[in-house]
Amino acid sequence: MEAGDIQGEMLNKTLVVSAPGKVILHGEHAVVHGKAALAVALNLRTFLRMSPRDDGKIFLQLPNIGVKLWWDLVQLQPLLDAFPDRTELKPPTPEQLARLKEFAGTADGPGEIHDVATVAFLYLYLSIAAKSGVLPSVELLVWSELPTGAGLGSSAAYSVCLAAALLSECSVVGYPLGEGQSLARWTEEELDVINKWAFQGEQVIHGNPSGVDNAVGTWGGALRYQSGKITPLKRVPTLRILLTNTKVPRSTKALVAGVREKLLKFPAIMEPVLISIDAISRECEGVLEAMADDSSQGHYSVLEELVDINQHHLDVIGVGHPALDRVCQATAALGLHSKLTGAGGGGCAITLLRPDTPPSVVETAVRDLSRCGFACWETDIGGPGVCAHALPSLKADVVKVLNGI
Amino acid sequence: MEAGDIQGEMLNKTLVVSAPGKVILHGEHAVVHGKAALAVALNLRTFLRMSPRDDGKIFLQLPNIGVKLWWDLVQLQPLLDAFPDRTELKPPTPEQLARLKEFAGTADGPGEIHDVATVAFLYLYLSIAAKSGVLPSVELLVWSELPTGAGLGSSAAYSVCLAAALLSECSVVGYPLGEGQSLARWTEEELDVINKWAFQGEQVIHGNPSGVDNAVGTWGGALRYQSGKITPLKRVPTLRILLTNTKVPRSTKALVAGVREKLLKFPAIMEPVLISIDAISRECEGVLEAMADDSSQGHYSVLEELVDINQHHLDVIGVGHPALDRVCQATAALGLHSKLTGAGGGGCAITLLRPDTPPSVVETAVRDLSRCGFACWETDIGGPGVCAHALPSLKADVVKVLNGI
């Protein structure tokens, strides 16, 4: 394919898409040992704006992490050799990644976040170009409400946004937003395509991801993950939460190893705890599906009880942390229920809020948690996956960022 | 038998005996559902002094609860009709208890502690008199370091002391303390007799006790209790602890019912927790027996870990309390490990101390816990059961009380 050989059709208009982050509601760590986990969409979103250019250039701007790069299409052209158009999607090969790293000048880097993000973009851009025969001249700006490296699926949200925008631009999927609409979603079939490409991005970034994060970023809502199998829940309510980042750094690898060690040391004590966590995930799944029909207070009580029980179990398997205890205590003092989410040992916690939790209580919680030095967001879980937006319909601060101001 | 008909032999000297309280180390609540529990002797002891009189009177003094009573032997004589000498011990009959309550003037009472203690004394005195044919004129003073009604086996320690003293006085068992000895214990066979009679006293007080408390009071050390079966551990170390009484009142019955409710509500989540608690008791049993040979620090780490895990489990099954959380936090801040013991929902907690825990740490813990309004004792667990003492060998404050000063 030559630079001028536009085989496919280009959308040639400004696209705005967003994808949510994810939190693990229940089942972190137990999932490593074959138990079920529940992952839910976190309504802290990553936003992407992509506009056509007419100068044969590609601009990539990632203001969260200080990336501002551009390339000429003629520079990218030779890289297409490495991307034969395959009907079946296959994982990125080491050769492809080596070639892209060399091109991006990141070959010797320590895999820093902006290098990884750049390579993932190039990978998706070139693969989709190869697939569609379209090599669009565009400028992209991707900005996220999600903190990076906090286990909240920020890389997947990035990959989902890139996949949705590039696949739409190259007409592999349609762009769902009609005239006068403020928000639209892709069809189930199109979401399936977007998810598969987003998983490619995740593979570039993480090597061997589970696919949970991009699935949540694509479909939103909630899904069960067990032994490699992802099952979206049919209907889930949107639940208000506080997300708290204790900012205590942790090593997921060390925490997972610690749990394994405890299991080996006290198998008769620890294995039942994993079985109980598995049952919590299943019970929660049932409650969430029941809530779609009936949002009575009783369901919230059960959700709160499950959160408390699982937090104790996570302490038992050794992934608690005094900072997480502080989150639990500070929120318990206000009648709220919290648990760690993700790897634990620090990191993030979620606090359930009820539909009628008064703003004053939430404000007090946020104030108390901030005083502990934690970052705190009031948001919700179980919301929509990847969406197309009319730019003016977004919150003013997001519009400002996407307009590059 | 007539008042003057002394068939048996009387010891006719001053006896001093003591028996320990008990704490549940692991397995409280789980034991209700067929799992194992570990009960250990608590070295807060009940002391009894019994001296012969020559005026045909019986004096009973229980300074902890304000009992100061006396009877003439001729008054007691008619009650013996209700106590045929049986070879086989049988539970107290309603008729016997009604008769004793009427005699003691407690028939209409609400079962207050001093009434129950009086009836239990009369029951043991008269049964042992009937059995031995001895109706001694004595004065008894029983005083305890144990708080009453705190689940620490104070009633069993009382029953064990009464049984040991009365059985010795009436020569049903020998009195083991030789000339010049400061402390002595009964033979295994004699302890078996003392335990059986102490269980009678417990039946008078509690109706349908498990027999665990009097077994611990008699044998000391530690024992496993499961499905009605009591198995003493062969060898156990003596462990330093802090015992903390939060003084938060609780209803054991309501707490047991609450656990049952949770089990019915979330069987798949809760049953594994009970299985894990069972495994903790067994693991702990193994560690305690191993420690008798090898008191390495590693064993203490495991004991501490088990305490932490079980405390979380007890929270999960719903028998925690903010006051117990405060005990755990205050001691954790000093590197110590605590759990509730007994019914939970308030009540008592134990904190493990190592042999080398510095006095300054213990003092700080006691100070911090006292500031929370809790009562706190430094003592140990796993020590000896019922003992005979030479009065002067006891601590001065105990001697003072036993001398009625």
Side-chain angles (χ1 to χ4, degrees):
Chain A
M1 189 165 86
E2 296 294 310
D5 278 358
I6 303 301
Q7 300 158 11
E9 196 189 333
M10 272 199 287
L11 188 65
N12 217 27
K13 68 182 198 182
T14 294
L15 310 186
V16 179
V17 306
S18 76
K22 76 106 213 317
V23 285
I24 302 289
L25 190 50
H26 289 294
E28 48 273 275
H29 286 288
V31 75
V32 176
H33 304 278
K35 310 300 185 224
L38 278 186
V40 294
L42 173 70
N43 204 22
L44 297 178
R45 303 182 75 89
T46 295
F47 294 89
L48 176 152
R49 176 190 169 141
M50 185 165 78
S51 309
R53 294 184 66 93
D54 54 11
D55 59 358
K57 286 184 168 45
I58 297 175
F59 282 76
L60 177 67
Q61 247 187 291
L62 310 175
N64 299 86
I65 55 174
V67 168
K68 209 166 181 175
L69 295 168
W70 68 269
W71 304 275
D72 275 314
L73 279 184
V74 289
Q75 285 178 278
L76 292 181
Q77 192 79 28
L79 295 170
L80 278 172
D81 304 348
F83 293 84
D85 172 18
R86 293 168 309 213
T87 316
E88 186 85 354
L89 282 182
K90 284 191 182 142
T93 64
E95 295 71 32
Q96 287 176 320
L97 296 181
R99 187 107 184 253
L100 294 181
K101 282 179 186 171
E102 200 195 340
F103 173 78
T106 68
D108 304 325
E112 299 231 6
I113 187 166
H114 49 269
D115 295 338
V116 173
T118 303
V119 170
F121 165 74
L122 290 170
Y123 182 87
L124 284 177
Y125 181 91
L126 290 164
S127 323
I128 292 170
K131 169 93 183 163
S132 63
V134 178
L135 210 64
S137 169
V138 285
E139 56 184 54
L140 294 99
L141 190 150
V142 190
W143 175 79
S144 188
E145 296 170 333
L146 291 160
T148 53
L152 300 176
S154 65
S155 72
Y158 173 69
S159 294
V160 170
C161 283
L162 285 178
L166 292 168
L167 290 166
S168 296
E169 175 63 26
C170 298
S171 301
V172 180
V173 299
Y175 187 63
L177 195 77
E179 201 64 48
Q181 278 188 296
S182 60
L183 184 143
R185 302 208 64 204
W186 284 266
T187 66
E188 287 300 311
E189 292 70 27
E190 288 170 332
L191 289 175
D192 201 48
V193 175
I194 292 169
N195 182 51
K196 280 183 178 138
W197 284 93
F199 184 58
Q200 299 270 309
E202 279 283 88
Q203 287 179 312
V204 172
I205 298 169
H206 290 298
N208 188 24
S210 68
V212 167
D213 291 11
N214 50 279
V216 171
T218 304
W219 277 287
L223 56 82
R224 185 195 330 129
Y225 177 68
Q226 185 168 23
S227 306
K229 200 180 152 213
I230 293 171
T231 313
L233 271 61
K234 284 192 196 73
R235 294 183 310 158
V236 288
T238 304
L239 299 172
R240 292 174 71 195
I241 64 154
L242 275 185
L243 177 81
T244 302
N245 188 351
T246 65
K247 302 186 205 159
V248 174
R250 77 261 184 271
S251 154
T252 300
K253 209 171 141 186
L255 287 158
V256 168
V259 173
R260 194 177 301 281
E261 219 169 85
K262 280 218 172 203
L263 264 168
L264 289 171
K265 189 173 176 192
F266 301 124
I269 296 168
M270 291 299 164
E271 183 55 37
V273 177
L274 297 185
I275 291 170
S276 182
I277 292 176
D278 189 64
I280 289 169
S281 297
R282 285 164 204 287
E283 179 77 26
C284 184
E285 189 180 325
V287 173
L288 290 179
E289 296 200 327
M291 284 176 91
D293 293 323
D294 159 24
S295 65
S296 65
Q297 295 289 310
H299 290 313
Y300 287 99
S301 303
V302 173
L303 289 182
E304 289 165 353
E305 214 171 335
L306 297 178
V307 159
D308 289 341
I309 295 172
N310 202 355
Q311 176 61 21
H312 283 301
H313 285 350
L314 289 161
D315 270 322
V316 163
I317 65 174
V319 298
H321 188 276
L324 293 165
D325 293 343
R326 279 201 292 283
V327 176
C328 292
Q329 284 156 25
T331 54
L334 297 163
L336 305 175
H337 302 257
S338 307
K339 70 177 275 288
L340 70 84
T341 179
C348 291
I350 50 172
T351 303
L352 295 183
L353 303 175
R354 294 192 180 206
D356 60 354
T357 303
S360 63
V361 169
V362 179
E363 281 157 27
T364 307
V366 171
R367 187 199 62 202
D368 294 350
L369 292 166
S370 303
R371 278 183 188 161
C372 296
F374 307 148
C376 207
W377 296 263
E378 185 184 353
T379 179
D380 46 61
I381 54 176
V386 64
C387 294
H389 301 272
L391 187 57
S393 71
L394 296 176
K395 287 177 289 181
D397 57 338
V398 177
V399 173
K400 222 164 143 182
V401 176
L402 292 185
N403 279 332
I405 301 169
Chain B
M1 191 166 89
E2 297 294 310
D5 279 358
I6 304 301
Q7 300 157 6
E9 196 188 335
M10 272 200 288
L11 189 63
N12 217 25
K13 67 181 198 183
T14 293
L15 310 186
V16 178
V17 305
S18 75
K22 75 106 209 323
V23 286
I24 302 290
L25 190 50
H26 290 294
E28 48 272 276
H29 287 287
V31 74
V32 177
H33 304 278
K35 311 301 185 220
L38 279 185
V40 294
L42 173 70
N43 204 22
L44 297 179
R45 303 181 76 89
T46 294
F47 294 88
L48 176 150
R49 176 190 169 143
M50 186 165 78
S51 308
R53 294 183 68 90
D54 53 12
D55 58 359
K57 286 184 167 46
I58 299 175
F59 281 75
L60 177 67
Q61 247 186 289
L62 310 175
N64 299 86
I65 54 174
V67 168
K68 208 166 181 177
L69 295 168
W70 68 270
W71 304 273
D72 274 314
L73 279 185
V74 289
Q75 283 179 277
L76 292 181
Q77 191 79 28
L79 295 170
L80 278 172
D81 304 346
F83 293 84
D85 173 18
R86 293 170 308 216
T87 317
E88 187 84 355
L89 281 183
K90 285 193 181 137
T93 64
E95 294 71 32
Q96 287 176 320
L97 296 181
R99 186 106 185 251
L100 295 180
K101 281 178 187 172
E102 200 194 338
F103 173 78
T106 67
D108 305 325
E112 299 231 5
I113 187 165
H114 47 271
D115 295 337
V116 173
T118 303
V119 169
F121 164 73
L122 289 171
Y123 181 87
L124 285 177
Y125 180 90
L126 291 166
S127 323
I128 292 170
K131 169 94 184 162
S132 64
V134 178
L135 208 67
S137 170
V138 286
E139 56 184 58
L140 294 99
L141 189 150
V142 189
W143 176 79
S144 187
E145 295 170 334
L146 290 159
T148 52
L152 299 176
S154 65
S155 71
Y158 174 69
S159 294
V160 169
C161 283
L162 285 180
L166 292 169
L167 291 167
S168 296
E169 174 63 27
C170 298
S171 302
V172 179
V173 299
Y175 187 64
L177 194 78
E179 202 63 49
Q181 277 188 299
S182 59
L183 184 144
R185 301 208 65 203
W186 283 265
T187 66
E188 285 301 310
E189 291 72 25
E190 288 171 331
L191 288 174
D192 201 48
V193 174
I194 291 169
N195 182 51
K196 281 184 178 136
W197 284 93
F199 184 57
Q200 299 269 310
E202 280 282 88
Q203 286 179 312
V204 172
I205 297 169
H206 290 297
N208 188 24
S210 68
V212 168
D213 290 11
N214 50 279
V216 171
T218 303
W219 276 287
L223 57 82
R224 185 196 329 130
Y225 177 67
Q226 185 168 24
S227 306
K229 201 180 153 213
I230 293 171
T231 314
L233 271 62
K234 285 195 194 71
R235 293 183 312 159
V236 289
T238 303
L239 300 172
R240 291 174 73 196
I241 64 155
L242 274 186
L243 177 81
T244 302
N245 188 351
T246 65
K247 302 187 206 160
V248 174
R250 76 259 184 271
S251 154
T252 301
K253 211 171 139 187
L255 288 157
V256 168
V259 173
R260 194 178 302 279
E261 219 169 86
K262 280 217 173 205
L263 265 168
L264 290 172
K265 189 174 177 189
F266 301 125
I269 297 168
M270 292 298 164
E271 183 55 37
V273 176
L274 297 185
I275 291 170
S276 182
I277 292 176
D278 189 64
I280 290 169
S281 297
R282 285 164 203 287
E283 180 77 27
C284 183
E285 188 180 327
V287 174
L288 290 179
E289 296 199 327
M291 285 176 91
D293 293 323
D294 159 23
S295 64
S296 66
Q297 294 289 310
H299 290 312
Y300 287 99
S301 303
V302 173
L303 290 181
E304 289 165 353
E305 215 170 332
L306 297 179
V307 158
D308 290 341
I309 295 171
N310 202 356
Q311 176 61 22
H312 283 299
H313 285 350
L314 289 161
D315 269 323
V316 163
I317 64 173
V319 298
H321 188 276
L324 293 164
D325 293 342
R326 278 201 292 283
V327 176
C328 292
Q329 284 156 24
T331 55
L334 297 163
L336 304 174
H337 303 257
S338 306
K339 70 177 275 290
L340 71 85
T341 179
C348 291
I350 50 173
T351 303
L352 295 182
L353 303 174
R354 294 192 179 208
D356 59 355
T357 302
S360 62
V361 169
V362 179
E363 281 157 27
T364 307
V366 171
R367 188 199 62 202
D368 294 350
L369 293 167
S370 303
R371 278 184 188 161
C372 296
F374 306 149
C376 206
W377 295 264
E378 185 183 352
T379 179
D380 47 60
I381 54 176
V386 64
C387 294
H389 301 272
L391 187 57
S393 72
L394 296 175
K395 288 177 287 180
D397 55 341
V398 177
V399 173
K400 224 165 142 180
V401 176
L402 292 185
N403 280 331
I405 302 167

